[in-house]
Amino acid sequence: MKKVLSCFLLLGSFSSFATVIQYNDFSDTTGLTLNGNTQVVNNNLQLTNNIAWQGGSVFTTNAISLINDSSFATSFSFKIDNNSLGGDTDGLGADGLAFVIQTQNANVGGAGGGLGYQGINNSVAVEFDTFNNTSWDNNNGNHVGIGINGNVNTSNNVNEPFRFNEGDVWNVLITFDGISKLFDVSWSMETDSTKGGSISRILDAAFFKVVVA
């Protein structure tokens, strides 16, 4: 399967000056580190080709601080298409993709059911999982989950009734309130990502450890 995405990222304390990272397309990837099978195709980031056991990731090259109760918002779009390998009871396609915030370095991440974040300490991941790995996926092969500190056993997840890997464009909005510590995710095939599914969790911004489940 092919996985393609584009993104916009706004970080900082919203009451002061914010750091803005914006890519309208990826004709220029300055500031990003592309890993594994990731490549630029038609000015989009393609994380993997339609070949078994591939993995790719993209991280900002330089770390961005979230200290002093900083908040952030990010929006991006992704599409998963050309599924002809693997799959589970709901159809072809595996394993999905994840948006990851982590404190390690710009080239971590793995393939398969680990979705590029398994085992990464001090991390938060939003996974768009397209394969049923039984118990650790709550027996659902099409869901969104929030993974903490590299744990892919995302009991905090929401099933999505429309398959992610049907070639549709999905729009995602992720926000974090540095005061309330609320980490919120919404996604939709509509231009307004808040018109679809959502999931949230309270986080500790300093170490990305859950303080309220």
Side-chain angles (χ1 to χ4, degrees):
M1 92 178 43
K2 295 190 297 183
K3 308 169 189 176
V4 179
L5 72 158
S6 58
C7 68
F8 169 83
L9 181 62
L10 172 68
L11 303 104
S13 175
F14 292 151
S15 61
S16 61
F17 295 103
T19 299
V20 177
I21 301 173
Q22 182 170 356
Y23 291 88
N24 295 319
D25 62 41
F26 294 97
S27 55
D28 182 358
T29 59
T30 301
L32 300 175
T33 298
L34 280 59
N35 307 300
N37 299 112
T38 301
Q39 58 184 320
V40 176
V41 178
N42 296 326
N43 293 337
N44 292 306
L45 286 177
Q46 181 174 289
L47 299 180
T48 63
N49 285 307
N50 186 31
I51 300 173
W53 297 108
Q54 287 206 326
S57 66
V58 181
F59 287 102
T60 56
T61 302
N62 298 316
I64 301 169
S65 175
L66 287 176
I67 63 172
N68 299 325
D69 295 329
S70 293
S71 299
F72 75 83
T74 183
S75 61
F76 60 93
S77 301
F78 72 86
K79 179 173 71 171
I80 305 175
D81 64 3
N82 197 21
N83 298 290
S84 61
L85 298 170
D88 53 20
T89 55
D90 71 359
L92 292 172
D95 282 272
L97 58 85
F99 172 85
V100 182
I101 303 169
Q102 48 90 11
T103 61
Q104 304 303 307
N105 53 58
N107 62 3
V108 294
L115 291 175
Y117 75 90
Q118 186 175 27
I120 301 177
N121 294 323
N122 295 336
S123 69
V124 178
V126 179
E127 63 169 44
F128 299 86
D129 197 324
T130 66
F131 186 79
N132 184 358
N133 290 289
T134 63
S135 59
W136 84 49
D137 283 337
N138 281 349
N139 294 303
N140 182 272
N142 200 76
H143 65 265
V144 179
I146 299 176
I148 306 298
N149 295 326
N151 183 4
V152 297
N153 189 352
T154 54
S155 57
N156 182 222
N157 60 40
V158 172
N159 297 342
E160 169 53 50
F162 297 99
R163 278 170 40 94
F164 288 123
N165 45 15
E166 292 290 354
D168 298 300
V169 174
W170 290 84
N171 300 300
V172 181
L173 175 65
I174 300 173
T175 63
F176 175 73
D177 187 315
I179 303 301
S180 69
K181 311 305 182 190
L182 179 64
F183 186 80
D184 186 75
V185 184
S186 58
W187 63 93
S188 175
M189 287 184 283
E190 302 287 338
T191 302
D192 182 353
S193 59
T194 63
K195 292 184 176 180
S198 65
I199 188 173
S200 61
R201 194 165 188 171
I202 299 295
L203 303 177
D204 184 324
F207 301 103
F208 296 115
K209 294 177 180 177
V210 176
V211 293
V212 178

